[in-house]
Amino acid sequence: MNVAEVVGRTLASLGVDTAFGVVGSGNFHVTNALVAHGVRYVAARHEGGAATMADAYARLSGGVAVLSVHQGPGLTNAMTGIAEAAKSRTPLVVLAGEVSEPRSNFFVDQTALAEAVGAVPLRIGSAETAAADTAEAFRTARDGRRTVLLNLPLQVQGLTVPAAGAQVAAALADGADIEAGGAERIVPTGAEERVRSPEAGEGTPAPEPGDEEVARLVEILAAARRPVFVAGRGARGARREIEELAGRTGALLATSAVARGLFRGSPWDLDVSGGFASPLTAELIRDADVLVGWGCALNMWTMRHGTLIGRDTTVVQVDLDDAALGAHRPIHLGVVGDVARTARAAVRLLGESVPDGDGAGYRSTELAARIAGENRWRDVPYVDESGDGRIDPRTLTIELDDLLPEERVVSIDSGNFMGYPSMFLDVPDERGFCFTQAFQSIGLGLATAIGAALAQPDRLPVAALGDGGALMGVAELETVVRLGLPMVIVVYDDDGYGAEVHHFGPDGHPLDTVTFPPADIAAVARGFGCEAVTVRDRADLTAVARWLEGARDRPLMIHARVSRARGAWWLEEAFRGH
């Protein structure tokens, strides 16, 4: 068995179940080795798409994903997707062939590339260490919640590994009882609880918060009259614990955009905090006297550049990473610890000192009625701007929300349009929404939807794209068709890069560089084998209803010609951070 085969076998033995990539000569053998040992391989049409598919798959499956790319240009093609994954702390192992001769056409400093975007560079050093090096890459990704580049030098890949089976067994010995997939939380051979979500560090002991910090948190909550909890990706998998503490303290519940859906179904769910927040959500968060961020960065997006934090609000942050505490804004208390364990510890210490139910904290029958009737964006009155052959994106998305089944997984590209599908399309839970926006690159949405669809195969996948992002990632339409995914792809087409149009247009700047002639995106989709409909008004959506009622044997492209008179409501605030 050679090095490439040992790498594939080791990753499969550690529990990797799916890999994405584009195969070239430098990653041909390692990719085949993954497949030979039972790993599903998903071939993309561009390495950038493959990287984003792997990122989305890891986010929604709860496991470590693998990306396989050729040396040099294969890796550089993937770098935007790798940067998004690294910034999001996605547990991902990137396998890349590597040349060491600077005169080679394929040579590039791959270690420097990884470091430049925040990924962790590692390398297979020799045949003797191949299994151990691979296991280190996997565990760094899993336990550290990191994106890891594992370089595979071409001159090493073909070397014979002495006693390969023993090497693999030894590499697996540390933590061999923990696989990458499966339930969110498990109790392995020992009694120690281990966390199983990529947000909290799979396989690592869940950190206990300090007694003094928990006591101070309880003291703050016990005195609070209007507490609000905002949960981020680090809180996924801890809904039950957070809701129990919220019930004891009368706290309202909100999330960051990436954790949207975590509290779906609760009468106290305010949905998303930040630039996407509805007027009622913004009002209630701004009026909070205590704000607790649970595994949430409290960054400019989630806190609207700090405007959602009242002048006298006490701010608490709970996070696994000490460096995250207070990184974006001043806090009164930071608690280092696992979200679920911290919430449980607070409940134990709090006891029954604050009543559960109506009258506790921020909660009241009157407020519950307001949340039920006013909190969703579709409940906010607006003037429908449909007309002249274009449909208002709010009207479009509300109609789609009513048409599409509740069991869905929604993936969003970046751009002026993105608030509409993010906030007007409902999602069933936190596994129903994939928001790859840490790097704010357009063009990742379709690939995101593919990875999310494969991670959640029992749900209808919905991709929401702008026309610019759709055309950037158009090659992956072939992947959607080839995989037979019953995907709904919605393109919000305003014939340009809408964010730039609405940012620079009001000041009189020329817009020729960011506007384009109309493109028949529906015809492009048909060319790839999709069903397609162009939507200019409500009546055109009858074709969507027919597709939903039919066999769904081909993906559906909805090419929506949307109104473009104004920018999205969140856009002005967003540009303040640039």
Side-chain angles (χ1 to χ4, degrees), residues 165-521:
Q167 275 205 32
V168 173
L172 297 178
D174 179 19
D177 56 331
I178 304 169
E179 296 180 356
E184 290 254 341
R185 292 177 181 273
I186 60 170
V187 179
T189 307
E192 183 177 50
E193 181 181 35
R194 290 175 182 266
V195 179
R196 295 275 314 207
S197 73
E199 293 77 27
E202 282 188 338
T204 60
E208 286 280 10
D211 292 342
E212 184 177 337
E213 286 76 18
V214 173
R216 178 62 182 139
L217 170 62
V218 167
E219 180 184 344
I220 290 170
L221 290 174
R225 293 184 299 113
R226 298 183 306 280
V228 171
F229 291 174
V230 181
R233 277 187 75 193
R236 292 171 69 179
R239 172 174 176 162
R240 177 173 55 82
E241 293 86 351
I242 294 173
E243 280 194 318
E244 183 175 2
L245 181 60
R248 298 286 184 89
T249 58
L252 305 182
L253 300 163
T255 70
S256 66
V258 293
R260 186 177 185 225
L262 178 61
F263 302 116
R264 188 62 77 244
S266 167
W268 310 109
D269 178 19
L270 300 181
D271 210 355
V272 174
S273 172
F276 290 166
S278 69
L280 178 60
T281 292
E283 172 193 330
L284 294 173
I285 295 174
R286 192 177 290 117
D287 288 346
D289 60 350
V290 171
L291 180 70
V292 184
W294 297 92
C296 178
L298 301 180
N299 59 28
M300 68 177 189
W301 305 107
T302 307
M303 291 291 109
R304 283 192 182 177
H305 304 275
T307 62
L308 291 186
I309 300 176
R311 189 165 70 177
D312 298 321
T313 301
T314 298
V315 180
V316 179
Q317 195 176 357
V318 180
D319 205 283
L320 286 169
D321 186 0
D322 179 66
L325 301 178
H328 292 277
R329 58 195 65 263
I331 59 176
H332 297 86
L333 173 66
V335 181
V336 177
D338 172 62
V339 165
R341 287 194 165 195
T342 302
R344 281 203 301 268
V347 166
R348 286 194 299 269
L349 191 58
L350 188 64
E352 300 294 338
S353 60
V354 178
D356 191 6
D358 189 38
Y362 220 158
R363 302 182 178 190
S364 68
T365 302
E366 179 184 4
L367 184 55
R370 286 195 69 194
I371 292 172
E374 301 176 35
N375 191 59
R376 294 195 300 171
W377 266 107
R378 64 181 296 163
D379 297 326
V380 178
Y382 70 95
V383 177
D384 192 328
E385 296 177 351
S386 302
D388 297 325
R390 292 185 175 272
I391 188 169
D392 190 307
R394 295 164 293 188
T395 302
L396 166 73
T397 315
I398 290 169
E399 294 288 330
L400 288 174
D401 188 49
D402 290 339
L403 282 171
L404 298 175
E406 292 182 5
E407 283 300 308
R408 62 185 74 157
V409 54
V410 178
S411 301
I412 311 293
D413 207 336
S414 192
N416 171 62
F417 78 95
M418 69 183 186
Y420 302 115
S422 294
M423 297 313 303
F424 287 85
L425 283 181
D426 202 6
V427 294
D429 52 37
E430 76 275 21
R431 299 292 182 188
F433 191 65
C434 201
F435 194 68
T436 46
Q437 300 292 334
F439 201 28
Q440 287 187 262
S441 173
I442 71 170
L444 305 186
L446 184 56
T448 297
I450 295 171
L454 294 172
Q456 298 289 322
D458 296 331
R459 298 183 177 188
L460 178 74
V462 181
L465 322 172
D467 53 303
L471 292 171
M472 273 192 189
V474 72
E476 302 307 344
L477 277 178
E478 189 278 335
T479 306
V480 177
V481 173
R482 171 167 36 88
L483 295 177
L485 299 176
M487 184 180 293
V488 174
I489 305 157
V490 188
V491 177
Y492 293 73
D493 185 4
D494 59 4
D495 297 329
Y497 297 135
E500 285 67 34
V501 167
H502 296 294
H503 183 51
F504 295 108
D507 293 327
H509 294 290
L511 299 175
D512 294 346
T513 56
V514 291
T515 55
F516 301 91
D520 192 343
I521 295 175

